[in-house]
Every structure is written in structure tokens, then in C-alpha cells.
Amino acid sequence: MAPRTTTDRPAGDGAGPDLLMLGRRIRHLRTARGLTLDALGERVGSAPSLLSLVENGRREPRLSLLRDLADALGVRVGDLLADEAPDRRAELEIALERAQRGRLFAELGLPAVKPSQRLPLPVLEQLVGLHREIARRAEEAIATPEEARRANTELRLERQARGNYYGEIEDLAEDLIGRAGYAGGGAVTHRTVARLAESLGFTILHVTDLPRSARTVTDLRNGRIYLPQASIPGGHGLRSLALQAIAHRVLEHERPRSYAEFLRQRVEITYFAAACLAPRSAAVTFLQARKREKDLAVEDFRDTFGLTHEAAAMRLTNLATEHLGIPLHFLRVGDDGALFRGYANDGLPLPQDVTGAIEGQLVCRRWAAREAFARRDRATEFYQYTDTPNGTYWDSVQTGTRGTDSAGTSAGFGAGAFSITVGVPFAHAKWFRGRDTQVRQASRCPDPACCQLPPASLAERWAAGSWPSARMHQQVLAALPRGAFPGVDDTEVFAFLERHAPRAEQGAEQGAEQGAEQG
């Protein structure tokens, strides 16, 4: 078998030795001993040209050659295979070589610079720094709105395929919340969440100056989780925010490398928080009892476990299919009819754009999610049957109002009045309270004649005799947030952490800085 080259496998991909690192260690040891390639080749019985390929990370040596090289250089084989560069220059040469073999550099169409010994160290430092900055900017700008929508669609379809149920997160959440003292039978208290944090080495602190761009901030160095002093109106409660911060640690998340990974982490931490606030055993016991009584209701589930209506509705989607055998759908719709968040594994024909994304699409005017806004009494749930091209569905809808979106920022998509819908196919309505409603609508969407086109008589009368001034939706012009944690202002966060760091740590750092200045 012919030796592999780095065109067969990238160096450092985990399938074998890091060829660039190996080559630079061999070169470092060779030059340190005053040997030329010819001299080393004579000692190991190999051609200098082969050794040059090895030293440049372009050829993987056979084990026999590796042993001969170790003997000739007076080291062990393990010393050659170490994963640390022998010196700063070798580290920079490896970094430059890797950067110039990558896709980003290839797209620039520039000639490569050979990292030879004749290249001055300051020039090498500058080239590596420039390549790292190019990579950083590329990572920040990687998520176009189209890519983000596709990534979100993939996540939604994945959740749909598994019934929106993540058994491994359920197991972890139930174990941790149980160890923190939750014995079942009701809501998880703030104290229980605090004990859970303490068991993982964190203290929860409430502050008034949390950075505007962050919902929470975790100080990994000092074991602190900073939360606002009050819940976000209509959004996440303080228990949920704390649990989401904890989730990053217990789920062993690393800094997201793409917008898709960022979105996946958000799904996982939200799921973990919900699984802690309505632990599986207690929640399933409650829901199964209500199903037997044919009295399932989101409002009862909400009140029993101390959740927001939206959180209770979403938690129901986690458990209903897996443990109750009920397919269902969930919608969050704005009063303008735009779908903000949706999930369905029951065949409900959700509106989609050409990429398959549902966010921002208008739902049918006949659906319960929009009919609920026409009610005068919005304090209780609204029930409706809707005939669609995919069958008849029963829905339970609760409306609400908020002035901020789920990230806590004012205005924009998701602000204002909204409705939360949980619905099931007609055959499963028998398990729910409100199934006896006489309210019924018929929807032919996505047929434009259903509700997207005005009646012909009105169009004929007003099409040429009207000129409305459209309200501008500013969010369509906003750039997608950038950075490893999109939308987070690092300057604000780091200044906040510095402000709140324990005084002992601040004093130690100041002392170190003074010592460095004196040195």
C-alpha cells in the first residue's frame, strides 16, 4: 500500500498522526543536531526528497521509517508524535501552512507563501494573524438569513421526525432536578433551581445592570450565573433563564461554530429547562390521569407546574406523542397573522416559503389562531374545529400581549398581541376539554382564493381607487446578528463581568498588572 499524503486526509483530523506537527518536530530535531536532509537520509536509508515531503507534512512515514528517524535523532517515537509544536516558530509555520491549505485561502486566489527558515519571524507572525482574522470574520458572517432559515427548517423537521422528544435530555433533567430535591407533585421552586446550580458549582445572582444584548451571563471562572431581577414580560421566567444557562454546562456545549449550531444549542437548552420545570415522571402522570378523564387542558398543565401558557403548550408537544400517543401541533402567531414559531407532527398544512421555512408566513384567516383575536373575552381559552385540505383539526387558543420579543428586546417580529395554539386531528379531540365547541370554520389554504385574495366585488370597486401607505417592517432590513453568540455585545459582557468579579480576583489581577509594568 502506498503511503498516504495530506491530499488523502487533512492533517489533524483524528484519523492518524498530525502530519504537519510530526514533520515540523522532525525538522526541528534535525536542524538542532546540525544535520542536513542528505545526512539524515543516509542514517535512515531514505531519499532526501522523501524526508522533505515528511517534514512538510505531505507524506505520512511508515512505522519502520518513523522508528529509524527516532533512533537517528536520539529520541523516542512518542516524542516525534507529540501534539505540541517544538517552538514558537514551528507553531507559526504550522498555522500558516494549514491556513494556506484551507478553503478560505483557496477562494482568495493568491499565491502561497512558503514558511521557510528565511522568512523573518515578524512577517510570519503578521501572516498568521491576518489569516486568523480572515477566518474570524468569515465565521461571524457565515449565517445569511437564507442559511439561518434553512438551518431552522432542518431543526424543525428533525424535531417532527422524533415527535419533538429528546429522551437523553429528559433523563438528564429528571436526574438533576431530583437530586436538587424535587419530589414531584407540582411546580419546581426557585430554591430547587438554586440548589441544582449549587450542585454544579454555580451561584445564581440577580442584577440590575445585565448587558442589554444578553438574557443571562455566566461567569465560568468564578462560578456565577447572572440573571435580571424580574422576568421578561410574556417571555422566559427566571427559573427558565437560570436552567437554560445551566444547560450549556450539563449538555457540554462548546462555542458554536455556525449559526446552525447556535440554533441547535438554543433548542437543546430550552428543552432542558422545560424538562426540569415539568419533570417527565410528574408531568406524564398528570397528563395520563387527565387523558383518562378526557379532560386534557393546557391551562391546567400550566397552572399545576407554574409555567407560562406558551411553555406549557410547548412542553405538551414534548410529551403528548411519546407518552400519550397523541399527534399534535403548536403555533405562536402574531395579531398580523404571521407565524412566529410552529411545530406539527399531525399533518397540519403549515404555510411555507420556497426553502421550507415557516417563520414569518401568514396563516389562514380562518384558523383558530387568528379567529381568537376577534373575541371580546380573551381571558379564557378559545376552541374551534377547522376543516382543511388535510382533514379536520380541533384547536385550543390562548391570546396574550407583550411589548418585547423572546430575547427581551423591544418591538420587532413577535412583539404586540399574539396567540398560542395547541391542536390535534379530529379523532384525538375526544381527550381534550373544549371538544364540545360548536365553533367551526373551513379553510382552503394554500388556495389563494381562500383568504389571500379580496372578494371580486371589493377588488373591482377599490383596486384602482385606493392608495394605502404601507407600514414599514424594519426587521426585514436588519442584518442577521453576527458573532459566536449572535447579537451579543462582547464589550458590554466583558465590562459587566469585570464590574461584578469578586474583589479578591480584581485585586490579584491588578497586582499582576502592576508587577508586569514594574518588570
Side-chain angles (χ1 to χ4, degrees):
M1 180 183 296
R4 291 181 297 176
T5 68
T6 52
T7 57
D8 302 319
R9 170 184 50 77
D13 70 345
D18 184 334
L19 300 186
L20 271 175
M21 188 69 72
L22 170 63
R24 290 306 188 275
R25 293 188 70 83
I26 293 173
R27 175 184 292 174
H28 175 78
L29 292 168
R30 175 178 64 79
T31 56
R33 285 155 178 71
L35 296 173
T36 63
L37 281 171
D38 289 331
L40 182 60
E42 290 180 3
R43 292 191 181 189
V44 300
S46 292
S49 58
L50 172 61
L51 296 183
S52 178
L53 289 173
V54 170
E55 288 190 352
N56 286 300
R58 298 188 178 278
R59 181 67 61 87
E60 181 176 354
R62 297 180 184 275
L63 181 58
S64 57
L65 176 57
L66 202 58
R67 288 170 177 162
D68 291 341
L69 286 169
D71 291 340
L73 296 171
V75 297
R76 299 172 301 172
V77 171
D79 295 327
L80 297 181
L81 296 174
D83 59 0
E84 294 182 1
D87 56 25
R88 175 60 177 165
R89 182 179 186 89
E91 179 183 352
L92 291 169
E93 289 178 356
I94 292 170
L96 180 58
E97 190 76 26
R98 284 178 177 158
Q100 293 182 151
R101 294 183 188 182
R103 177 184 57 81
L104 281 177
F105 181 75
E107 291 176 352
L108 295 176
L110 298 174
V113 175
K114 185 178 181 180
S116 67
Q117 291 292 324
R118 293 189 296 274
L119 191 65
L121 186 61
V123 175
L124 194 55
E125 292 268 13
Q126 186 179 83
L127 287 172
V128 171
L130 288 172
H131 280 291
R132 286 174 176 165
E133 179 62 16
I134 290 172
R136 186 190 69 80
R137 295 192 179 195
E139 288 179 359
E140 281 193 345
I142 193 170
T144 63
E146 292 77 15
E147 180 185 357
R149 289 170 70 82
R150 285 190 172 90
N152 208 36
T153 299
E154 289 178 6
L155 274 173
R156 178 172 57 83
L157 295 177
E158 176 192 302
R159 290 164 51 213
Q160 176 181 310
R162 61 192 302 166
N164 202 19
Y165 187 78
Y166 292 78
E168 63 282 5
I169 298 181
E170 295 281 358
D171 293 340
L172 179 62
E174 185 141 33
D175 176 61
L176 290 176
I177 207 70
R179 292 186 186 185
Y182 179 75
V188 172
T189 65
H190 286 270
R191 179 56 188 145
T192 301
V193 174
R195 282 199 296 264
L196 172 55
E198 290 166 3
S199 72
L200 298 170
F202 289 96
T203 300
I204 295 176
L205 299 174
H206 299 270
V207 295
T208 58
D209 60 339
L210 198 71
R212 294 179 59 186
S213 61
R215 297 185 304 163
T216 67
V217 174
T218 301
D219 182 346
L220 299 176
R221 179 183 297 173
N222 297 297
R224 294 178 165 193
I225 296 174
Y226 295 101
L227 302 179
Q229 289 196 336
S231 302
I232 298 170
H236 298 283
L238 294 180
R239 295 174 303 154
S240 179
L241 287 174
L243 289 166
Q244 288 182 43
I246 291 169
H248 284 300
R249 311 275 65 79
V250 300
L251 297 177
E252 300 180 349
H253 285 166
E254 298 180 353
R255 290 179 179 268
R257 293 171 297 232
S258 66
Y259 205 82
E261 190 171 339
F262 168 76
L263 290 176
R264 180 174 294 278
Q265 290 184 2
R266 286 295 292 268
V267 167
E268 291 177 352
I269 66 173
T270 303
Y271 194 106
F272 175 83
C276 285
L277 292 176
R280 177 178 54 196
S281 294
V284 170
T285 298
F286 173 85
L287 293 171
Q288 287 176 337
R290 291 308 177 96
K291 182 185 178 185
R292 286 193 297 269
E293 297 168 3
K294 295 185 177 181
D295 194 31
L296 281 171
V298 177
E299 59 184 351
D300 290 352
F301 188 46
R302 171 198 69 198
D303 296 342
T304 298
F305 290 93
L307 306 173
T308 65
H309 196 89
E310 181 173 1
M314 282 296 297
R315 184 62 176 144
L316 191 59
T317 70
N318 301 148
L319 303 172
T321 304
E322 180 74 15
H323 293 283
L324 304 181
I326 300 175
L328 73 172
H329 59 265
F330 163 90
L331 307 173
R332 179 191 170 110
V333 176
D335 56 1
D336 59 353
L339 183 56
F340 180 69
R341 187 179 296 117
Y343 165 81
N345 69 351
D346 59 358
L348 181 73
L350 296 176
Q352 302 180 7
D353 65 14
V354 292
T355 70
I358 62 173
E359 292 75 20
Q361 301 301 299
L362 296 178
V363 303
C364 180
R365 297 175 190 272
R366 313 283 184 255
W367 285 12
R370 295 187 69 174
E371 289 284 346
F373 291 116
R375 299 174 63 221
R376 291 185 178 180
D377 179 13
R378 298 187 182 181
T380 58
E381 292 189 64
F382 168 67
Y383 308 111
Q384 175 181 303
Y385 287 99
T386 308
D387 300 321
T388 78
N390 287 22
T392 298
Y393 293 87
W394 171 89
D395 289 295
S396 168
V397 186
Q398 180 67 60
T399 57
T401 306
R402 66 181 304 171
T404 56
D405 64 17
S406 59
T409 55
S410 60
F413 187 40
F418 63 94
S419 66
I420 301 296
T421 301
V422 170
V424 296
F426 179 85
H428 292 275
K430 61 185 179 182
W431 308 116
F432 288 83
R433 184 186 307 160
R435 62 187 175 275
D436 56 351
T437 180
Q438 300 301 306
V439 180
R440 197 178 193 109
Q441 291 285 353
S443 167
R444 288 176 291 143
C445 282
D447 180 357
C450 175
C451 66
Q452 299 174 41
L453 300 177
S457 59
L458 291 180
E460 183 180 356
R461 178 176 175 80
W462 292 108
S466 61
W467 190 287
S469 180
R471 176 178 294 176
M472 185 63 185
H473 296 276
Q474 295 292 345
Q475 69 272 9
V476 303
L477 302 178
L480 200 66
R482 303 198 313 172
F485 302 100
V488 172
D489 187 327
D490 287 341
T491 301
E492 286 185 356
V493 171
F494 297 158
F496 168 84
L497 288 170
E498 185 68 19
R499 240 180 1 257
H500 287 272
R503 292 187 177 182
E505 179 178 284
Q506 290 179 339
E509 291 193 357
Q510 290 172 359
E513 291 175 359
Q514 293 173 358
E517 291 175 358
Q518 293 172 0

